[in-house]
Amino acid sequence: RRRGQVNRTVLCSMASRLDESMGRLEKLIRKYGIWDNTLIFAVSDNGGMTQWGRLWPASASSNWPLRGGKTTVFEGGVRSVSFVNGGALPAAARGSTSKQLLHAVDILPTLASFAGVPLLTQGDGLDVWPAISAGAPVNRKELPLNIGVNPLGGLPWSTPGLVHDGATNYSALISWPWKVVVGDPYVIFATKDDRRRDGWWSIEGYQYTAPTEEMSLPYRLYNLEDDEAERKNLADNLEHQDLLKQLIERVKWYASSENGWVKPQSNVPQTSANPRFHNWIWLPFLREGEEASQ
């Protein structure tokens, strides 16, 4: 069998094992009589990693009918599934579904609200318990998916291929139902890609369909209500130019230091952070004003 088919079988087997483990956990919770006081909130951190290459980190997920997967800003990479279960979930909410704009930052305020625990500070997240438990609307129309500025953060400046022009790149934002992608939809560094990551991978047969548009475009614009698979780029349509400009300005606003935006720190390991140097305690290892080495 082809490598992609073998990896797909392994991945699906792993998902089946995880499902079995969740079943055993539920049985234990019920056994000890705490099911009625339990709320399980399970969420994926991103879409599945697809088979764009033969070596790690490429994998064998399918996000069909969505486009792309993990590492891309297309819906296959940023739209993830979640579920809420447990005896504490109201009966009226069981079996219901929601496709509103929720985000991982909503989990803390939502669970705090459910538990009746006040938060000391108000972050970016929303209390979406009313939406989960009773189907109430969520007060969110806009959601930044990723905001990046060249040279992209998280990588040393010496990384081959990094662009240092200060332009907004690898960025995406939803202003429902519209979505704008500014710059590259994904970034390739030190990996061997056998095919483009922004295509579509089917569930049955795990077939790959390549995109027809160019990889490097300054802007992309999609109507997610009509085109959740992001097959029709509307960025060049004359009737949408004012809208496109507005969305680009919103991305720039999120990427501005005046708004509090900070470039992600480098992912290069810092040996001085080793707890063995700090009496085996996890704590800030930089002096005030000191920067981590690049």
Side-chain angles (χ1 to χ4, degrees):
R1 291 186 294 174
R2 293 182 299 131
R3 180 185 295 269
Q5 293 174 325
V6 173
N7 289 349
R8 179 74 176 155
T9 301
V10 171
L11 183 72
C12 292
S13 299
M14 293 169 63
S16 178
R17 291 292 183 90
L18 177 61
D19 187 57
E20 292 175 3
S21 297
M22 287 297 297
R24 290 196 295 270
L25 175 62
E26 179 183 333
K27 288 181 180 179
L28 281 174
I29 294 174
R30 290 181 181 274
K31 176 182 177 180
Y32 288 103
I34 57 176
W35 177 253
D36 289 342
N37 296 323
T38 297
L39 186 74
I40 299 174
F41 199 142
V43 60
S44 173
D45 58 345
N46 43 249
M49 183 71 87
T50 52
Q51 184 77 25
W52 45 262
R54 288 172 290 176
L55 302 176
W56 182 89
S59 186
S61 292
S62 170
N63 302 297
W64 184 266
L66 304 180
R67 182 177 179 178
K70 182 178 179 180
T71 74
T72 80
V73 294
F74 288 109
E75 291 298 282
V78 300
R79 185 190 299 191
S80 63
V81 295
S82 64
F83 68 84
V84 179
N85 197 7
L89 184 68
R94 298 171 191 173
S96 63
T97 60
S98 175
K99 293 186 177 182
Q100 301 190 72
L101 282 182
L102 308 184
H103 193 275
V105 294
D106 300 332
I107 296 176
L108 175 59
T110 298
L111 293 182
S113 172
F114 164 78
V117 177
L119 295 177
L120 297 179
T121 58
Q122 181 64 44
D124 295 320
L126 302 177
D127 172 15
V128 296
W129 180 244
I132 293 173
S133 61
V138 175
N139 185 28
R140 175 185 284 131
K141 298 297 182 184
E142 182 176 277
L143 188 64
L145 301 172
N146 195 66
I147 303 295
V149 174
N150 291 332
L152 295 174
L155 296 164
W157 279 52
S158 58
T159 302
L162 273 184
V163 180
H164 294 255
D165 60 6
T168 306
N169 190 13
Y170 192 35
S171 299
L173 173 139
I174 291 176
S175 181
W176 193 259
W178 299 98
K179 176 178 176 180
V180 65
V181 177
V182 179
D184 298 322
Y186 63 95
V187 183
I188 300 175
F189 289 113
T191 60
K192 179 174 175 53
D193 291 21
D194 295 335
R195 56 179 64 91
R196 283 176 54 171
R197 303 184 192 185
D198 56 337
W200 296 264
W201 281 261
S202 68
I203 298 175
E204 297 296 330
Y206 202 54
Q207 298 298 313
Y208 171 73
T209 302
T212 57
E213 65 185 12
E214 295 181 22
M215 160 65 178
S216 296
L217 294 173
Y219 308 113
R220 291 173 167 86
L221 179 68
Y222 303 99
N223 185 322
L224 296 180
E225 206 161 50
D226 299 333
D227 178 28
E228 69 172 3
E230 296 169 298
R231 293 180 179 273
K232 189 174 182 181
N233 180 11
L234 304 173
D236 292 333
N237 287 29
L238 293 178
E239 62 184 292
H240 298 315
Q241 292 309 298
D242 288 341
L243 170 66
L244 179 62
K245 291 177 182 178
Q246 293 173 13
L247 296 179
I248 293 171
E249 287 303 312
R250 290 300 294 162
V251 171
K252 291 180 179 179
W253 179 80
Y254 279 107
S256 66
S257 58
E258 293 80 7
N259 180 47
W261 182 84
V262 178
K263 183 183 290 293
Q265 68 180 25
S266 172
N267 282 329
V268 175
Q270 299 292 324
T271 55
S272 56
N274 193 324
R276 69 180 298 179
F277 301 134
H278 308 284
N279 197 28
W280 298 104
I281 299 174
W282 288 104
L283 45 69
F285 62 94
L286 297 178
R287 300 183 181 89
E288 186 174 355
E290 182 181 3
E291 294 184 1
S293 62
Q294 295 294 321

